[in-house]
Amino acid sequence: MSVKNLDDLLGEGVHGRYVLVRSDLNVPLDGDRITDDGRVRAALPTIKKLADAGAKVVVTAHLGRPKGEPDAKYTLAPVAKRLSELLGAEVALAGDLVGESAKALTAGLADGGVVLLENVRFDARETSKDAVDRSELAAELGALVPGGAFVSDGFGVVHRKQASVYEVASVLPAYAGGLVLAELDVLKKLTDDVKRPYVVVLGGAKVSDKLGVIANLLTKVDRLLIGGGMAYTFLKAQGHEVGNSLLQADQLDQVKGFLAEAEKRGVELVLPVDVLAATGFAADAEHEVVAATAIPADREGLDIGPETRELFAGKLADAATVFWNGPMGVFEFEAFSGGTRAVAEALVKSDAFTVVGGGDSAAAVRQLGLPEDGFSHISTGGGASLEYLEGKELPGVSALENVALEEKN
């Protein structure tokens, strides 16, 4: 990717200069408690490098999906607290995004200081479909950092054409952050000159969330393992009973097409052979192991079974490259976390280049207490990773490339 990066910016000198950083701090919360701070820790290196170099660092980020107006449930206050703890210095939280509080805090920011602006999605212009609205907000963000620069470091949002991701790159001198560069470097290893056998493990709830990526991966992979809630639509497409399991009936024709395409291309598409079939969706639901092809009509599959865990581990054993996105079951419930753990442990044992594709998979790794350094890479951007592997353009990346091209010309 031919763009200016964080090292270029640091080389130009940032002491006493404002730098606006777009981070991805969209962490899961239980009340005001962060349950997984992985994205905060991933954002830290870029922020710390700038602060240590004496920059006046202004961070913008989102949390959740507020409806374009302030909502106490989505305040970034818990994030500011955790960022302060990790940075070892106070990170002040502005009471607004581009209002009086933000203006006052940024104006008074000391060299090496860090301010976090309140949730960027509290302003409806951030996600507006109107480019004029987004450009207006981007200009106001730029006005907070006079003479400053912009560092795009929120990989989890680069697939969004939003003001703080896309338009702001044309308002300020723009640079790619270390996290964005690292993520793109890993994804290129999954698409360009891939070491084989190349195995992809997909899980999660819905087939519809991964239609594009499945279609594209079928042209690239050697093996595709399907688990999680989406597996039941595949099983149904083969004519099997799935009981009360999660099913997207409107996707059956599409899935039948995937099965035919896999056979045509010689891609080994592997489905569960047994599942944990429960009486209901609950942590303490009664359950039993049943064949994946004979799920009782009054039961629902909540995890892959022991035979499938062994099967999947075996299919991963000889892999040279593995991409995993989506849990194998309802890992949040201890009784139904075994399948997800089995896949994760198989990757930890593997000598392959292993990538955990963000989202629930990354959260599961941490929740299950598995060593993060047991994987080659744990992504911070589930949606962005999938769209890249689908072959889609990432607006936040193209914005940086456009700036570099304009400067070159």
Side-chain angles (χ1 to χ4, degrees):
M1 186 176 66
S2 180
V3 300
K4 285 188 173 181
N5 59 44
L6 180 63
D7 288 339
D8 293 325
L9 176 58
L10 292 169
E12 294 168 13
V14 295
H15 193 277
R17 186 182 181 188
Y18 282 108
V19 179
L20 178 69
V21 180
R22 183 27 161 127
S23 297
D24 179 11
L25 303 174
N26 186 29
V27 295
L29 295 173
D30 180 6
D32 61 356
R33 183 179 67 87
I34 296 174
T35 58
D36 179 6
D37 69 353
R39 284 179 170 166
V40 181
R41 288 186 285 113
L44 192 65
T46 289
I47 295 171
K48 191 174 189 309
K49 280 184 180 181
L50 288 166
D52 287 349
K56 299 178 179 182
V57 186
V58 180
V59 181
T60 185
H62 77 281
L63 178 65
R65 296 184 177 180
K67 301 184 183 302
E69 59 184 28
D71 184 337
K73 183 168 67 172
Y74 297 112
T75 177
L76 284 170
V79 176
K81 179 182 177 183
R82 183 61 179 143
L83 198 52
S84 299
E85 293 170 350
L86 293 171
L87 194 61
E90 183 186 2
V91 175
L93 175 68
D96 49 36
L97 178 64
V98 289
E100 294 307 311
S101 176
K103 290 174 182 176
L105 278 178
T106 55
L109 196 56
D111 296 348
V114 181
V115 162
L116 176 62
L117 304 178
E118 186 54 284
N119 195 330
V120 69
R121 290 188 182 173
F122 283 178
D123 191 313
R125 294 173 296 176
E126 164 71 356
T127 57
S128 173
K129 296 189 182 304
D130 188 333
V132 174
D133 286 343
R134 298 197 306 269
S135 294
E136 184 181 77
L137 176 57
E140 291 180 27
L141 286 168
L144 289 176
V145 292
F150 169 62
V151 174
S152 177
D153 204 44
F155 180 74
V157 289
V158 293
H159 61 312
R160 307 294 189 194
K161 186 175 275 191
Q162 296 176 347
S164 67
V165 178
Y166 186 77
E167 276 79 8
V168 76
S170 62
V171 172
L172 299 166
Y175 303 78
L179 179 58
V180 165
L181 289 178
E183 294 273 13
L184 289 173
D185 181 60
V186 165
L187 289 171
K188 285 180 180 178
K189 291 179 182 177
L190 297 177
T191 53
D192 302 336
D193 194 26
V194 181
K195 292 183 178 179
R196 298 184 180 279
Y198 180 17
V199 183
V200 170
V201 186
L202 294 179
K206 297 179 179 179
V207 177
S208 57
D209 291 341
K210 298 183 172 73
L211 291 177
V213 76
I214 293 173
N216 202 36
L217 286 172
L218 284 175
T219 68
K220 302 180 185 302
V221 303
D222 299 299
R223 234 173 261 146
L224 182 59
L225 315 185
I226 303 288
M230 62 188 292
Y232 303 104
T233 301
F234 276 82
L235 290 166
K236 186 69 172 180
Q238 290 183 327
H240 304 302
E241 172 62 58
V242 297
N244 292 328
S245 305
L246 186 63
L247 173 67
Q248 287 190 283
D250 61 335
Q251 301 297 329
L252 285 173
D253 287 342
Q254 181 76 60
V255 168
K256 288 175 183 177
F258 289 151
L259 292 168
E261 185 68 13
E263 184 175 2
K264 174 184 172 183
R265 291 184 174 275
V267 173
E268 188 180 1
L269 197 155
V270 187
L271 296 174
V273 294
D274 63 344
V275 303
L276 295 191
T279 54
F281 189 86
D284 59 353
E286 291 182 18
H287 57 277
E288 62 182 338
V289 177
V290 302
T293 55
I295 300 172
D298 62 346
R299 299 257 177 161
E300 59 181 303
L302 295 186
D303 194 13
I304 57 174
E307 284 189 37
T308 304
R309 296 169 197 176
E310 288 188 21
L311 173 66
F312 280 16
K315 297 295 182 182
L316 291 166
D318 67 342
T321 304
V322 181
F323 174 73
W324 169 37
N325 180 276
M328 297 294 98
V330 189
F331 74 91
E332 297 88 347
F333 298 159
E334 176 62 30
F336 307 107
S337 64
T340 300
R341 179 182 291 278
V343 166
E345 289 179 342
L347 296 191
V348 169
K349 293 174 184 175
S350 173
D351 293 327
F353 177 70
T354 54
V355 179
V356 179
D360 287 340
S361 306
V365 166
R366 288 185 277 267
Q367 182 174 312
L368 296 173
L370 296 166
E372 293 187 42
D373 60 3
F375 307 89
S376 303
H377 181 73
I378 298 179
S379 178
T380 58
S385 298
L386 289 176
E387 291 202 12
Y388 185 97
L389 294 178
E390 190 176 334
K392 286 185 175 180
E393 179 183 86
L394 303 179
V397 175
S398 62
L400 297 173
E401 292 174 331
N402 291 341
V403 169
L405 186 61
E406 288 173 7
E407 290 184 355
K408 185 176 180 181
N409 294 334

